[in-house]
Amino acid sequence: FNLEASQIRMLQTMFDSFPSGPVQDKIRRYLVQYTSRILSECQHAQETWRRHSMDSELTGILHELNQLSVRKQVAGTANVGYQTHDQVEHSPSDPILGQSYTAIQVLMEERSKRMTAMQSTFPILHYTIVSALAGCILMAFLIETDQELLVFFNSVQLRLLWAALVGAFTALAIVIYDLRDPFDGSYNVARSVQQLRTLRKTLALSFSDSDGNGL
């Protein structure tokens, strides 16, 4: 999430450098919607990742950048008299356009990695095997201590050892259950997600300011 948030901030800076117009507003709107999509995918990850496809608002931003690139190419190859005011006014510089393409590519790769990681959960067989191993250890302990003559431990020590084994396996089960969802429980990435909420507010505020200036 840190890399995705960093790339979104970089895109925000680059899109602010675009000439004012409907294209800039549309790209900013796509960026706000994409940030909201990330936050939506982070809620109830076990259920939501199945409903989200790999297509996102990044495809819309890429489409707008492609149109800008085509317009710049047409304006560059045509005669000077053929260049319209709209082509000259609403075309960003080549370095900014190239950096925007790079940032979009990085965001797409990071989104793909995140979605793959969310789908790569442990199978039920994994938990079954761990539970079976714990049960076998407890069963072996009960069988070995089921005798009248105790050589190594007395009854109190055996009870303490049994309590330690049961407590250790219970704690292990709680930790495994807690790790099933990266966005819930004690071990979570909620702090990394929180920065996206702040970033979305900043993007929405800059977008509303641009609409107010346009009026």
Side-chain angles (χ1 to χ4, degrees), residues 3 16 25 40 47 80 108 113 115 166 177:
L3 183 55
D16 289 341
D25 294 339
S40 176
E47 293 82 11
V80 177
M108 286 184 169
K113 293 178 182 178
M115 297 300 292
V166 174
Y177 181 78

PDB file of all heavy atoms in Angstrom, residues 3 16 25 40 47 80 108 113 115 166 177:
ATOM      1  N   LEU A   3       3.694   1.801  -1.568  1.00  0.00           N
ATOM      2  CA  LEU A   3       4.135   2.119  -2.925  1.00  0.00           C
ATOM      3  C   LEU A   3       2.977   2.630  -3.767  1.00  0.00           C
ATOM      4  O   LEU A   3       3.138   3.575  -4.559  1.00  0.00           O
ATOM      5  CB  LEU A   3       4.764   0.881  -3.569  1.00  0.00           C
ATOM      6  CG  LEU A   3       5.353   1.080  -4.975  1.00  0.00           C
ATOM      7  CD1 LEU A   3       6.377   2.207  -4.972  1.00  0.00           C
ATOM      8  CD2 LEU A   3       5.990  -0.213  -5.472  1.00  0.00           C
ATOM      9  N   ASP A  16      -1.777  17.629 -11.880  1.00  0.00           N
ATOM     10  CA  ASP A  16      -1.955  19.051 -11.592  1.00  0.00           C
ATOM     11  C   ASP A  16      -1.193  19.929 -12.585  1.00  0.00           C
ATOM     12  O   ASP A  16      -1.542  21.093 -12.783  1.00  0.00           O
ATOM     13  CB  ASP A  16      -1.480  19.370 -10.173  1.00  0.00           C
ATOM     14  CG  ASP A  16      -2.420  18.811  -9.112  1.00  0.00           C
ATOM     15  OD1 ASP A  16      -3.583  18.501  -9.456  1.00  0.00           O
ATOM     16  OD2 ASP A  16      -2.000  18.666  -7.947  1.00  0.00           O
ATOM     17  N   ASP A  25      -9.878  17.140 -15.630  1.00  0.00           N
ATOM     18  CA  ASP A  25     -10.936  16.835 -14.660  1.00  0.00           C
ATOM     19  C   ASP A  25     -11.313  15.362 -14.688  1.00  0.00           C
ATOM     20  O   ASP A  25     -11.531  14.744 -13.643  1.00  0.00           O
ATOM     21  CB  ASP A  25     -12.165  17.708 -14.954  1.00  0.00           C
ATOM     22  CG  ASP A  25     -11.892  19.186 -14.729  1.00  0.00           C
ATOM     23  OD1 ASP A  25     -10.935  19.504 -13.992  1.00  0.00           O
ATOM     24  OD2 ASP A  25     -12.622  20.023 -15.299  1.00  0.00           O
ATOM     25  N   SER A  40     -12.155   0.117  -0.829  1.00  0.00           N
ATOM     26  CA  SER A  40     -13.242  -0.860  -0.853  1.00  0.00           C
ATOM     27  C   SER A  40     -12.706  -2.282  -0.877  1.00  0.00           C
ATOM     28  O   SER A  40     -13.268  -3.181  -0.237  1.00  0.00           O
ATOM     29  CB  SER A  40     -14.133  -0.622  -2.080  1.00  0.00           C
ATOM     30  OG  SER A  40     -15.138  -1.611  -2.184  1.00  0.00           O
ATOM     31  N   GLU A  47     -14.236 -11.636   1.344  1.00  0.00           N
ATOM     32  CA  GLU A  47     -15.406 -11.710   0.483  1.00  0.00           C
ATOM     33  C   GLU A  47     -15.304 -10.811  -0.735  1.00  0.00           C
ATOM     34  O   GLU A  47     -15.820 -11.142  -1.798  1.00  0.00           O
ATOM     35  CB  GLU A  47     -16.670 -11.310   1.271  1.00  0.00           C
ATOM     36  CG  GLU A  47     -17.058 -12.284   2.370  1.00  0.00           C
ATOM     37  CD  GLU A  47     -16.275 -12.080   3.645  1.00  0.00           C
ATOM     38  OE1 GLU A  47     -15.580 -11.049   3.745  1.00  0.00           O
ATOM     39  OE2 GLU A  47     -16.335 -12.955   4.532  1.00  0.00           O
ATOM     40  N   VAL A  80       1.635  23.674 -39.316  1.00  0.00           N
ATOM     41  CA  VAL A  80       1.404  24.581 -38.204  1.00  0.00           C
ATOM     42  C   VAL A  80       0.004  25.159 -38.267  1.00  0.00           C
ATOM     43  O   VAL A  80      -0.677  25.334 -37.249  1.00  0.00           O
ATOM     44  CB  VAL A  80       2.448  25.714 -38.211  1.00  0.00           C
ATOM     45  CG1 VAL A  80       2.172  26.710 -37.093  1.00  0.00           C
ATOM     46  CG2 VAL A  80       3.844  25.134 -38.107  1.00  0.00           C
ATOM     47  N   MET A 108      -0.430  -0.456 -11.903  1.00  0.00           N
ATOM     48  CA  MET A 108      -1.066  -1.680 -12.398  1.00  0.00           C
ATOM     49  C   MET A 108      -0.338  -2.921 -11.905  1.00  0.00           C
ATOM     50  O   MET A 108      -0.964  -3.918 -11.520  1.00  0.00           O
ATOM     51  CB  MET A 108      -1.102  -1.665 -13.930  1.00  0.00           C
ATOM     52  CG  MET A 108      -2.118  -0.721 -14.532  1.00  0.00           C
ATOM     53  SD  MET A 108      -2.178  -0.831 -16.332  1.00  0.00           S
ATOM     54  CE  MET A 108      -3.652   0.126 -16.694  1.00  0.00           C
ATOM     55  N   LYS A 113      -0.141  -7.494  -7.992  1.00  0.00           N
ATOM     56  CA  LYS A 113       0.511  -8.223  -6.900  1.00  0.00           C
ATOM     57  C   LYS A 113      -0.395  -8.271  -5.664  1.00  0.00           C
ATOM     58  O   LYS A 113      -0.490  -9.306  -4.987  1.00  0.00           O
ATOM     59  CB  LYS A 113       1.840  -7.551  -6.546  1.00  0.00           C
ATOM     60  CG  LYS A 113       2.898  -7.637  -7.635  1.00  0.00           C
ATOM     61  CD  LYS A 113       4.161  -6.907  -7.212  1.00  0.00           C
ATOM     62  CE  LYS A 113       5.218  -6.939  -8.299  1.00  0.00           C
ATOM     63  NZ  LYS A 113       6.444  -6.180  -7.911  1.00  0.00           N
ATOM     64  N   MET A 115      -3.748  -8.034  -5.506  1.00  0.00           N
ATOM     65  CA  MET A 115      -4.882  -8.915  -5.720  1.00  0.00           C
ATOM     66  C   MET A 115      -4.463 -10.383  -5.678  1.00  0.00           C
ATOM     67  O   MET A 115      -5.188 -11.239  -5.164  1.00  0.00           O
ATOM     68  CB  MET A 115      -5.550  -8.586  -7.058  1.00  0.00           C
ATOM     69  CG  MET A 115      -6.135  -7.184  -7.133  1.00  0.00           C
ATOM     70  SD  MET A 115      -7.418  -6.869  -5.901  1.00  0.00           S
ATOM     71  CE  MET A 115      -8.713  -7.956  -6.484  1.00  0.00           C
ATOM     72  N   VAL A 166      -1.778 -27.515  26.148  1.00  0.00           N
ATOM     73  CA  VAL A 166      -3.087 -27.051  25.680  1.00  0.00           C
ATOM     74  C   VAL A 166      -3.078 -25.539  25.460  1.00  0.00           C
ATOM     75  O   VAL A 166      -3.613 -25.028  24.458  1.00  0.00           O
ATOM     76  CB  VAL A 166      -4.184 -27.449  26.689  1.00  0.00           C
ATOM     77  CG1 VAL A 166      -5.525 -26.842  26.281  1.00  0.00           C
ATOM     78  CG2 VAL A 166      -4.305 -28.970  26.775  1.00  0.00           C
ATOM     79  N   TYR A 177      -5.735 -18.064  13.187  1.00  0.00           N
ATOM     80  CA  TYR A 177      -7.050 -17.503  12.852  1.00  0.00           C
ATOM     81  C   TYR A 177      -6.959 -15.993  12.643  1.00  0.00           C
ATOM     82  O   TYR A 177      -7.627 -15.435  11.763  1.00  0.00           O
ATOM     83  CB  TYR A 177      -8.044 -17.824  13.957  1.00  0.00           C
ATOM     84  CG  TYR A 177      -9.438 -17.305  13.693  1.00  0.00           C
ATOM     85  CD1 TYR A 177     -10.297 -17.962  12.830  1.00  0.00           C
ATOM     86  CD2 TYR A 177      -9.889 -16.129  14.316  1.00  0.00           C
ATOM     87  CE1 TYR A 177     -11.569 -17.472  12.579  1.00  0.00           C
ATOM     88  CE2 TYR A 177     -11.150 -15.646  14.076  1.00  0.00           C
ATOM     89  CZ  TYR A 177     -12.005 -16.321  13.206  1.00  0.00           C
ATOM     90  OH  TYR A 177     -13.258 -15.827  12.964  1.00  0.00           O
TER      91      TYR A 177
END
